Amino acid sequence: MDAGRASRTAAYMALFRAVETARRSARLFDDPLATTLLPSDLRTVAAVARLPVVGPMVPWVLDRGWPRTRSSGVVRTAAIDALVLDALAAGARQLVLLGAGFDSRPYRLPLADALTFEVDHPATQAVKAQRLRASGVEVDRTRFVGVDFERDDVARALRTAGFDAGLVSVVVWEGVVSYLSSSAVDGTFSLLARILAPSSRLIFTYVDKGALDGSRHFDEARRWKWWVGRNGEPFVFGFDPAEIGAYLAAHGFRLVSDVSTAEVARTICEPLGRDEPGSALYRLTVAERE
Ligand SMILES: C[S@@+](CC[C@H](N)C(=O)[O-])C[C@H]1O[C@@H](n2cnc3c(N)ncnc32)[C@H](O)[C@@H]1O
């Protein structure tokens, strides 16, 4: 990403959540803060999405431009919300958001007394913290940890911020690994294995490597890759789903589940009567520290 400005893909994810929140029915979640966290140009788009009659055209236009991107994004948000709440109900006492972007989970989900660590690039984090404070959001239970995954010692930064390696945690690493070098991804898995207590859960998303090297065909891959590249944040890393279990085992994690957002969409959208496709190239994985 461009180290001099807040992540644009993070802003688009918040736009997708704002547009979802503007739906009149069968919403997958409510994210009232999503609009507040947007830059002014995308805030205008979110405002249009709330208008009667023309509002429903906004997701339609987004889907024409970047097929399945919005759909995959809102489906993954809903699924991860449920996974975080499950982990907290099972005893997690700390929530770590790696590459938090404009995620508002710490302020919209019932986290009980869990302490939250928002870990992100300082360029994105500074903008978010400023927008949260300007809108009067209570951030007492949040620790902001500014790091560059490519360069910084994330474990040390977390410890300095008060992370307790003796407590069970839930870690969300959503929409981030595809933008990192393989050494930063490997390094982060290794440090997580070092600092996470047994039974801690790691929820992460990734792009099917076949979409990046062209060895598997996905209709939406070309436009999606063009779109993130145009935002200065090209996809550079993917996993092969066939290898994810072995990769996790080598890093001290047990694979719990690994599904595409197309599969998640079938599970959570069909019962609502919604025709959301998700995406076969974008995957959601849950792992547990052994
Ligand atoms: C697509 S956004 C995802 C944001 C959020 N997790 C979500 O799903 O809405 C990617 C995030 O990764 C962060 N990021 C990308 N490269 C990074 C790096 N080298 N170090 C730290 N954060 C990075 C960006 O700041 C941004 O917040």
Tab-separated table of all heavy atoms in Angstrom, residues 217-269:
chain	number	residue	atom	x	y	z
A	217	HIS	N	-9.484	-20.580	-13.359
A	217	HIS	CA	-10.279	-19.489	-13.937
A	217	HIS	C	-11.426	-19.079	-13.013
A	217	HIS	O	-12.184	-19.920	-12.528
A	217	HIS	CB	-10.862	-19.897	-15.294
A	217	HIS	CG	-11.735	-18.814	-15.852
A	217	HIS	ND1	-11.224	-17.677	-16.435
A	217	HIS	CD2	-13.090	-18.664	-15.840
A	217	HIS	CE1	-12.207	-16.873	-16.770
A	217	HIS	NE2	-13.356	-17.455	-16.424
A	218	PHE	N	-11.498	-17.785	-12.782
A	218	PHE	CA	-12.635	-17.203	-12.059
A	218	PHE	C	-13.084	-16.010	-12.895
A	218	PHE	O	-12.261	-15.128	-13.196
A	218	PHE	CB	-12.205	-16.697	-10.666
A	218	PHE	CG	-11.613	-17.749	-9.777
A	218	PHE	CD1	-10.239	-17.977	-9.769
A	218	PHE	CD2	-12.429	-18.508	-8.941
A	218	PHE	CE1	-9.688	-18.948	-8.939
A	218	PHE	CE2	-11.869	-19.475	-8.106
A	218	PHE	CZ	-10.506	-19.698	-8.108
A	219	ASP	N	-14.373	-15.963	-13.235
A	219	ASP	CA	-14.861	-14.886	-14.110
A	219	ASP	C	-14.513	-13.497	-13.577
A	219	ASP	O	-14.203	-12.588	-14.338
A	219	ASP	CB	-16.397	-14.970	-14.256
A	219	ASP	CG	-16.801	-16.119	-15.157
A	219	ASP	OD1	-15.933	-16.610	-15.911
A	219	ASP	OD2	-17.978	-16.536	-15.088
A	220	GLU	N	-14.583	-13.348	-12.241
A	220	GLU	CA	-14.436	-12.019	-11.655
A	220	GLU	C	-12.969	-11.617	-11.433
A	220	GLU	O	-12.694	-10.476	-11.042
A	220	GLU	CB	-15.194	-11.936	-10.316
A	220	GLU	CG	-14.695	-12.847	-9.202
A	220	GLU	CD	-15.327	-14.236	-9.218
A	220	GLU	OE1	-15.558	-14.770	-10.327
A	220	GLU	OE2	-15.564	-14.787	-8.132
A	221	ALA	N	-12.023	-12.536	-11.658
A	221	ALA	CA	-10.629	-12.268	-11.256
A	221	ALA	C	-10.027	-11.060	-11.975
A	221	ALA	O	-9.380	-10.214	-11.358
A	221	ALA	CB	-9.771	-13.512	-11.492
A	222	ARG	N	-10.248	-10.967	-13.264
A	222	ARG	CA	-9.563	-9.916	-14.033
A	222	ARG	C	-9.977	-8.525	-13.554
A	222	ARG	O	-9.138	-7.674	-13.252
A	222	ARG	CB	-9.880	-10.082	-15.528
A	222	ARG	CG	-9.055	-9.192	-16.433
A	222	ARG	CD	-9.418	-9.420	-17.902
A	222	ARG	NE	-10.828	-9.156	-18.182
A	222	ARG	CZ	-11.353	-7.943	-18.398
A	222	ARG	NH1	-10.569	-6.884	-18.370
A	222	ARG	NH2	-12.647	-7.780	-18.637
A	223	ARG	N	-11.286	-8.294	-13.440
A	223	ARG	CA	-11.764	-6.960	-13.022
A	223	ARG	C	-11.360	-6.658	-11.583
A	223	ARG	O	-11.025	-5.533	-11.243
A	223	ARG	CB	-13.299	-6.894	-13.147
A	223	ARG	CG	-13.770	-7.048	-14.567
A	223	ARG	CD	-13.586	-5.751	-15.364
A	223	ARG	NE	-14.612	-4.787	-15.051
A	223	ARG	CZ	-15.824	-4.799	-15.578
A	223	ARG	NH1	-16.140	-5.713	-16.463
A	223	ARG	NH2	-16.706	-3.880	-15.248
A	224	TRP	N	-11.405	-7.678	-10.734
A	224	TRP	CA	-11.097	-7.473	-9.320
A	224	TRP	C	-9.622	-7.090	-9.153
A	224	TRP	O	-9.269	-6.145	-8.451
A	224	TRP	CB	-11.421	-8.768	-8.554
A	224	TRP	CG	-11.587	-8.628	-7.075
A	224	TRP	CD1	-11.037	-7.681	-6.259
A	224	TRP	CD2	-12.361	-9.474	-6.230
A	224	TRP	NE1	-11.413	-7.905	-4.959
A	224	TRP	CE2	-12.219	-8.986	-4.913
A	224	TRP	CE3	-13.141	-10.620	-6.453
A	224	TRP	CZ2	-12.835	-9.604	-3.815
A	224	TRP	CZ3	-13.749	-11.230	-5.363
A	224	TRP	CH2	-13.610	-10.729	-4.068
A	225	LYS	N	-8.754	-7.825	-9.861
A	225	LYS	CA	-7.307	-7.530	-9.762
A	225	LYS	C	-7.015	-6.137	-10.328
A	225	LYS	O	-6.213	-5.387	-9.780
A	225	LYS	CB	-6.498	-8.602	-10.518
A	225	LYS	CG	-6.448	-9.930	-9.777
A	225	LYS	CD	-5.448	-10.878	-10.400
A	225	LYS	CE	-5.927	-11.501	-11.662
A	225	LYS	NZ	-5.002	-12.493	-12.227
A	226	TRP	N	-7.703	-5.810	-11.419
A	226	TRP	CA	-7.515	-4.464	-12.006
A	226	TRP	C	-7.921	-3.394	-10.997
A	226	TRP	O	-7.228	-2.397	-10.805
A	226	TRP	CB	-8.366	-4.351	-13.275
A	226	TRP	CG	-8.393	-2.955	-13.813
A	226	TRP	CD1	-7.459	-2.363	-14.611
A	226	TRP	CD2	-9.395	-1.954	-13.567
A	226	TRP	NE1	-7.818	-1.050	-14.877
A	226	TRP	CE2	-9.003	-0.780	-14.250
A	226	TRP	CE3	-10.584	-1.940	-12.836
A	226	TRP	CZ2	-9.764	0.390	-14.221
A	226	TRP	CZ3	-11.338	-0.772	-12.807
A	226	TRP	CH2	-10.918	0.371	-13.493
A	227	TRP	N	-9.023	-3.619	-10.319
A	227	TRP	CA	-9.580	-2.619	-9.391
A	227	TRP	C	-8.646	-2.376	-8.204
A	227	TRP	O	-8.334	-1.240	-7.855
A	227	TRP	CB	-10.966	-3.096	-8.926
A	227	TRP	CG	-11.558	-2.259	-7.852
A	227	TRP	CD1	-11.973	-0.963	-7.961
A	227	TRP	CD2	-11.778	-2.649	-6.501
A	227	TRP	NE1	-12.454	-0.527	-6.748
A	227	TRP	CE2	-12.351	-1.532	-5.842
A	227	TRP	CE3	-11.572	-3.823	-5.784
A	227	TRP	CZ2	-12.697	-1.570	-4.497
A	227	TRP	CZ3	-11.922	-3.859	-4.447
A	227	TRP	CH2	-12.465	-2.736	-3.821
A	228	VAL	N	-8.132	-3.461	-7.578
A	228	VAL	CA	-7.241	-3.237	-6.420
A	228	VAL	C	-5.923	-2.615	-6.880
A	228	VAL	O	-5.353	-1.764	-6.193
A	228	VAL	CB	-7.006	-4.534	-5.589
A	228	VAL	CG1	-8.254	-4.943	-4.844
A	228	VAL	CG2	-6.468	-5.680	-6.434
A	229	GLY	N	-5.461	-3.013	-8.073
A	229	GLY	CA	-4.226	-2.432	-8.591
A	229	GLY	C	-4.389	-0.943	-8.840
A	229	GLY	O	-3.512	-0.132	-8.528
A	230	ARG	N	-5.560	-0.565	-9.375
A	230	ARG	CA	-5.840	0.845	-9.666
A	230	ARG	C	-5.866	1.674	-8.379
A	230	ARG	O	-5.576	2.861	-8.385
A	230	ARG	CB	-7.184	0.921	-10.382
A	230	ARG	CG	-7.560	2.283	-10.867
A	230	ARG	CD	-8.789	2.167	-11.763
A	230	ARG	NE	-9.386	3.475	-11.961
A	230	ARG	CZ	-10.341	3.962	-11.181
A	230	ARG	NH1	-10.804	3.267	-10.183
A	230	ARG	NH2	-10.845	5.160	-11.418
A	231	ASN	N	-6.203	1.017	-7.286
A	231	ASN	CA	-6.199	1.707	-5.990
A	231	ASN	C	-4.826	1.693	-5.324
A	231	ASN	O	-4.691	2.052	-4.152
A	231	ASN	CB	-7.244	1.079	-5.059
A	231	ASN	CG	-8.645	1.552	-5.401
A	231	ASN	OD1	-8.951	2.739	-5.248
A	231	ASN	ND2	-9.471	0.659	-5.919
A	232	GLY	N	-3.824	1.241	-6.068
A	232	GLY	CA	-2.456	1.247	-5.545
A	232	GLY	C	-2.177	0.131	-4.565
A	232	GLY	O	-1.172	0.155	-3.852
A	233	GLU	N	-3.070	-0.887	-4.510
A	233	GLU	CA	-2.885	-1.989	-3.562
A	233	GLU	C	-3.099	-3.318	-4.291
A	233	GLU	O	-4.091	-4.013	-4.070
A	233	GLU	CB	-3.872	-1.829	-2.384
A	233	GLU	CG	-3.633	-0.544	-1.596
A	233	GLU	CD	-4.763	-0.197	-0.621
A	233	GLU	OE1	-5.280	-1.106	0.039
A	233	GLU	OE2	-5.119	0.987	-0.537
A	234	PRO	N	-2.159	-3.671	-5.188
A	234	PRO	CA	-2.352	-4.890	-5.986
A	234	PRO	C	-2.317	-6.163	-5.138
A	234	PRO	O	-1.656	-6.199	-4.099
A	234	PRO	CB	-1.160	-4.858	-6.955
A	234	PRO	CG	-0.136	-4.010	-6.279
A	234	PRO	CD	-0.880	-3.002	-5.462
A	235	PHE	N	-3.032	-7.178	-5.603
A	235	PHE	CA	-2.931	-8.495	-4.972
A	235	PHE	C	-1.559	-9.078	-5.318
A	235	PHE	O	-1.209	-9.190	-6.497
A	235	PHE	CB	-3.988	-9.455	-5.537
A	235	PHE	CG	-5.387	-9.218	-5.041
A	235	PHE	CD1	-6.470	-9.641	-5.810
A	235	PHE	CD2	-5.651	-8.620	-3.817
A	235	PHE	CE1	-7.782	-9.457	-5.370
A	235	PHE	CE2	-6.955	-8.431	-3.366
A	235	PHE	CZ	-8.021	-8.854	-4.146
A	236	VAL	N	-0.801	-9.454	-4.308
A	236	VAL	CA	0.528	-10.026	-4.581
A	236	VAL	C	0.707	-11.401	-3.945
A	236	VAL	O	1.684	-12.088	-4.218
A	236	VAL	CB	1.665	-9.093	-4.084
A	236	VAL	CG1	1.718	-7.815	-4.910
A	236	VAL	CG2	1.523	-8.762	-2.602
A	237	PHE	N	-0.233	-11.802	-3.089
A	237	PHE	CA	-0.041	-13.070	-2.381
A	237	PHE	C	-1.355	-13.847	-2.341
A	237	PHE	O	-2.426	-13.286	-2.124
A	237	PHE	CB	0.433	-12.806	-0.941
A	237	PHE	CG	0.649	-14.065	-0.150
A	237	PHE	CD1	1.871	-14.730	-0.204
A	237	PHE	CD2	-0.376	-14.620	0.591
A	237	PHE	CE1	2.061	-15.914	0.481
A	237	PHE	CE2	-0.189	-15.811	1.282
A	237	PHE	CZ	1.029	-16.457	1.228
A	238	GLY	N	-1.251	-15.165	-2.540
A	238	GLY	CA	-2.418	-16.041	-2.380
A	238	GLY	C	-1.987	-17.382	-1.837
A	238	GLY	O	-0.797	-17.724	-1.849
A	239	PHE	N	-2.948	-18.130	-1.323
A	239	PHE	CA	-2.693	-19.510	-0.897
A	239	PHE	C	-3.415	-20.448	-1.852
A	239	PHE	O	-4.460	-20.101	-2.433
A	239	PHE	CB	-3.287	-19.768	0.497
A	239	PHE	CG	-2.459	-19.255	1.656
A	239	PHE	CD1	-2.956	-18.269	2.490
A	239	PHE	CD2	-1.203	-19.787	1.932
A	239	PHE	CE1	-2.220	-17.807	3.574
A	239	PHE	CE2	-0.455	-19.338	3.010
A	239	PHE	CZ	-0.971	-18.343	3.831
A	240	ASP	N	-2.885	-21.680	-1.960
A	240	ASP	CA	-3.604	-22.745	-2.641
A	240	ASP	C	-4.494	-23.410	-1.582
A	240	ASP	O	-3.972	-23.934	-0.586
A	240	ASP	CB	-2.584	-23.750	-3.203
A	240	ASP	CG	-3.261	-24.907	-3.908
A	240	ASP	OD1	-4.485	-25.090	-3.749
A	240	ASP	OD2	-2.544	-25.644	-4.606
A	241	PRO	N	-5.824	-23.392	-1.764
A	241	PRO	CA	-6.705	-23.977	-0.741
A	241	PRO	C	-6.334	-25.425	-0.409
A	241	PRO	O	-6.518	-25.871	0.731
A	241	PRO	CB	-8.097	-23.906	-1.373
A	241	PRO	CG	-8.006	-22.822	-2.389
A	241	PRO	CD	-6.579	-22.805	-2.885
A	242	ALA	N	-5.782	-26.146	-1.386
A	242	ALA	CA	-5.418	-27.547	-1.129
A	242	ALA	C	-4.271	-27.658	-0.133
A	242	ALA	O	-4.047	-28.713	0.457
A	242	ALA	CB	-5.039	-28.231	-2.449
A	243	GLU	N	-3.536	-26.566	0.048
A	243	GLU	CA	-2.350	-26.619	0.911
A	243	GLU	C	-2.518	-25.893	2.240
A	243	GLU	O	-1.596	-25.865	3.060
A	243	GLU	CB	-1.148	-26.016	0.155
A	243	GLU	CG	-0.751	-26.852	-1.059
A	243	GLU	CD	0.278	-26.140	-1.939
A	243	GLU	OE1	0.667	-25.004	-1.619
A	243	GLU	OE2	0.663	-26.742	-2.953
A	244	ILE	N	-3.686	-25.307	2.447
A	244	ILE	CA	-3.828	-24.428	3.604
A	244	ILE	C	-3.726	-25.202	4.937
A	244	ILE	O	-3.129	-24.721	5.904
A	244	ILE	CB	-5.144	-23.595	3.520
A	244	ILE	CG1	-5.088	-22.401	4.458
A	244	ILE	CG2	-6.384	-24.403	3.784
A	244	ILE	CD1	-4.238	-21.280	4.007
A	245	GLY	N	-4.267	-26.425	4.962
A	245	GLY	CA	-4.206	-27.213	6.204
A	245	GLY	C	-2.773	-27.520	6.591
A	245	GLY	O	-2.376	-27.366	7.766
A	246	ALA	N	-1.969	-27.916	5.617
A	246	ALA	CA	-0.567	-28.251	5.898
A	246	ALA	C	0.211	-27.002	6.296
A	246	ALA	O	1.060	-27.033	7.202
A	246	ALA	CB	0.061	-28.906	4.663
A	247	TYR	N	-0.077	-25.891	5.623
A	247	TYR	CA	0.608	-24.633	5.955
A	247	TYR	C	0.322	-24.256	7.408
A	247	TYR	O	1.238	-23.897	8.171
A	247	TYR	CB	0.138	-23.519	5.011
A	247	TYR	CG	0.795	-22.184	5.280
A	247	TYR	CD1	1.968	-21.810	4.623
A	247	TYR	CD2	0.255	-21.286	6.213
A	247	TYR	CE1	2.584	-20.591	4.880
A	247	TYR	CE2	0.867	-20.071	6.482
A	247	TYR	CZ	2.024	-19.725	5.813
A	247	TYR	OH	2.632	-18.523	6.086
A	248	LEU	N	-0.942	-24.340	7.790
A	248	LEU	CA	-1.305	-23.962	9.164
A	248	LEU	C	-0.654	-24.908	10.174
A	248	LEU	O	-0.137	-24.469	11.214
A	248	LEU	CB	-2.833	-23.966	9.316
A	248	LEU	CG	-3.532	-22.806	8.608
A	248	LEU	CD1	-5.045	-23.044	8.547
A	248	LEU	CD2	-3.236	-21.484	9.318
A	249	ALA	N	-0.678	-26.199	9.865
A	249	ALA	CA	-0.086	-27.179	10.786
A	249	ALA	C	1.402	-26.883	10.989
A	249	ALA	O	1.922	-26.960	12.111
A	249	ALA	CB	-0.280	-28.592	10.246
A	250	ALA	N	2.078	-26.487	9.911
A	250	ALA	CA	3.507	-26.175	10.010
A	250	ALA	C	3.754	-24.932	10.856
A	250	ALA	O	4.874	-24.699	11.319
A	250	ALA	CB	4.082	-25.979	8.606
A	251	HIS	N	2.707	-24.123	11.032
A	251	HIS	CA	2.847	-22.903	11.836
A	251	HIS	C	2.165	-23.032	13.201
A	251	HIS	O	1.925	-22.017	13.876
A	251	HIS	CB	2.295	-21.696	11.071
A	251	HIS	CG	3.189	-21.279	9.944
A	251	HIS	ND1	3.180	-21.895	8.723
A	251	HIS	CD2	4.148	-20.319	9.874
A	251	HIS	CE1	4.084	-21.335	7.938
A	251	HIS	NE2	4.692	-20.382	8.614
A	252	GLY	N	1.802	-24.252	13.585
A	252	GLY	CA	1.251	-24.451	14.936
A	252	GLY	C	-0.242	-24.216	15.068
A	252	GLY	O	-0.752	-24.039	16.180
A	253	PHE	N	-0.959	-24.238	13.929
A	253	PHE	CA	-2.415	-24.044	13.972
A	253	PHE	C	-3.127	-25.270	13.401
A	253	PHE	O	-2.624	-25.939	12.506
A	253	PHE	CB	-2.825	-22.818	13.147
A	253	PHE	CG	-2.441	-21.505	13.777
A	253	PHE	CD1	-1.212	-20.912	13.482
A	253	PHE	CD2	-3.291	-20.861	14.661
A	253	PHE	CE1	-0.851	-19.699	14.064
A	253	PHE	CE2	-2.934	-19.652	15.250
A	253	PHE	CZ	-1.710	-19.067	14.953
A	254	ARG	N	-4.331	-25.510	13.908
A	254	ARG	CA	-5.186	-26.582	13.381
A	254	ARG	C	-6.257	-25.925	12.508
A	254	ARG	O	-6.889	-24.953	12.921
A	254	ARG	CB	-5.840	-27.307	14.566
A	254	ARG	CG	-6.806	-28.411	14.197
A	254	ARG	CD	-7.384	-29.054	15.464
A	254	ARG	NE	-8.305	-28.175	16.176
A	254	ARG	CZ	-9.586	-28.000	15.885
A	254	ARG	NH1	-10.121	-28.652	14.863
A	254	ARG	NH2	-10.354	-27.182	16.589
A	255	LEU	N	-6.409	-26.458	11.297
A	255	LEU	CA	-7.440	-25.921	10.405
A	255	LEU	C	-8.817	-26.318	10.930
A	255	LEU	O	-9.089	-27.505	11.145
A	255	LEU	CB	-7.238	-26.463	8.988
A	255	LEU	CG	-8.309	-26.087	7.956
A	255	LEU	CD1	-8.352	-24.585	7.718
A	255	LEU	CD2	-8.069	-26.825	6.636
A	256	VAL	N	-9.683	-25.335	11.114
A	256	VAL	CA	-11.059	-25.615	11.548
A	256	VAL	C	-11.985	-25.604	10.332
A	256	VAL	O	-12.785	-26.519	10.139
A	256	VAL	CB	-11.528	-24.574	12.597
A	256	VAL	CG1	-12.992	-24.803	12.984
A	256	VAL	CG2	-10.626	-24.613	13.833
A	257	SER	N	-11.870	-24.579	9.497
A	257	SER	CA	-12.699	-24.538	8.287
A	257	SER	C	-12.057	-23.621	7.250
A	257	SER	O	-11.296	-22.710	7.592
A	257	SER	CB	-14.111	-24.030	8.609
A	257	SER	OG	-14.047	-22.711	9.101
A	258	ASP	N	-12.351	-23.898	5.998
A	258	ASP	CA	-11.807	-23.087	4.900
A	258	ASP	C	-12.828	-23.152	3.767
A	258	ASP	O	-13.001	-24.202	3.154
A	258	ASP	CB	-10.456	-23.658	4.446
A	258	ASP	CG	-9.924	-22.938	3.223
A	258	ASP	OD1	-9.788	-21.710	3.273
A	258	ASP	OD2	-9.672	-23.606	2.198
A	259	VAL	N	-13.538	-22.046	3.537
A	259	VAL	CA	-14.612	-22.032	2.543
A	259	VAL	C	-14.509	-20.759	1.712
A	259	VAL	O	-13.970	-19.746	2.173
A	259	VAL	CB	-16.009	-22.080	3.210
A	259	VAL	CG1	-16.318	-23.450	3.769
A	259	VAL	CG2	-16.145	-21.004	4.281
A	260	SER	N	-15.046	-20.813	0.511
A	260	SER	CA	-15.076	-19.586	-0.296
A	260	SER	C	-16.259	-18.735	0.159
A	260	SER	O	-17.211	-19.240	0.782
A	260	SER	CB	-15.233	-19.929	-1.778
A	260	SER	OG	-16.549	-20.385	-2.015
A	261	THR	N	-16.207	-17.432	-0.183
A	261	THR	CA	-17.358	-16.597	0.193
A	261	THR	C	-18.579	-16.960	-0.659
A	261	THR	O	-19.705	-16.622	-0.290
A	261	THR	CB	-17.038	-15.086	0.089
A	261	THR	OG1	-16.563	-14.783	-1.231
A	261	THR	CG2	-16.007	-14.668	1.132
A	262	ALA	N	-18.373	-17.665	-1.783
A	262	ALA	CA	-19.530	-18.161	-2.543
A	262	ALA	C	-20.279	-19.205	-1.714
A	262	ALA	O	-21.513	-19.214	-1.655
A	262	ALA	CB	-19.061	-18.765	-3.874
A	263	GLU	N	-19.490	-20.068	-1.039
A	263	GLU	CA	-20.131	-21.083	-0.184
A	263	GLU	C	-20.797	-20.431	1.031
A	263	GLU	O	-21.895	-20.809	1.431
A	263	GLU	CB	-19.092	-22.108	0.274
A	263	GLU	CG	-18.541	-22.964	-0.862
A	263	GLU	CD	-17.266	-23.706	-0.434
A	263	GLU	OE1	-17.382	-24.800	0.143
A	263	GLU	OE2	-16.158	-23.172	-0.670
A	264	VAL	N	-20.101	-19.437	1.615
A	264	VAL	CA	-20.679	-18.738	2.772
A	264	VAL	C	-21.987	-18.065	2.351
A	264	VAL	O	-22.984	-18.102	3.080
A	264	VAL	CB	-19.704	-17.674	3.325
A	264	VAL	CG1	-20.330	-16.934	4.494
A	264	VAL	CG2	-18.380	-18.295	3.750
A	265	ALA	N	-21.995	-17.477	1.169
A	265	ALA	CA	-23.197	-16.772	0.687
A	265	ALA	C	-24.383	-17.728	0.615
A	265	ALA	O	-25.492	-17.378	1.008
A	265	ALA	CB	-22.923	-16.147	-0.676
A	266	ARG	N	-24.121	-18.942	0.124
A	266	ARG	CA	-25.231	-19.902	0.030
A	266	ARG	C	-25.805	-20.184	1.416
A	266	ARG	O	-27.008	-20.288	1.595
A	266	ARG	CB	-24.756	-21.203	-0.627
A	266	ARG	CG	-24.722	-21.102	-2.148
A	266	ARG	CD	-24.640	-22.461	-2.803
A	266	ARG	NE	-23.323	-23.076	-2.645
A	266	ARG	CZ	-22.253	-22.777	-3.384
A	266	ARG	NH1	-22.352	-21.864	-4.339
A	266	ARG	NH2	-21.100	-23.374	-3.181
A	267	THR	N	-24.925	-20.290	2.417
A	267	THR	CA	-25.383	-20.628	3.763
A	267	THR	C	-26.166	-19.486	4.404
A	267	THR	O	-27.194	-19.712	5.025
A	267	THR	CB	-24.164	-20.951	4.673
A	267	THR	OG1	-23.337	-21.845	3.969
A	267	THR	CG2	-24.586	-21.545	5.990
A	268	ILE	N	-25.649	-18.250	4.267
A	268	ILE	CA	-26.279	-17.176	5.050
A	268	ILE	C	-27.251	-16.318	4.253
A	268	ILE	O	-28.114	-15.690	4.843
A	268	ILE	CB	-25.234	-16.292	5.782
A	268	ILE	CG1	-24.373	-15.503	4.806
A	268	ILE	CG2	-24.369	-17.113	6.717
A	268	ILE	CD1	-23.413	-14.554	5.517
A	269	CYS	N	-27.137	-16.288	2.925
A	269	CYS	CA	-28.021	-15.404	2.152
A	269	CYS	C	-29.263	-16.120	1.645
A	269	CYS	O	-30.344	-15.531	1.587
A	269	CYS	CB	-27.268	-14.786	0.977
A	269	CYS	SG	-25.905	-13.749	1.542
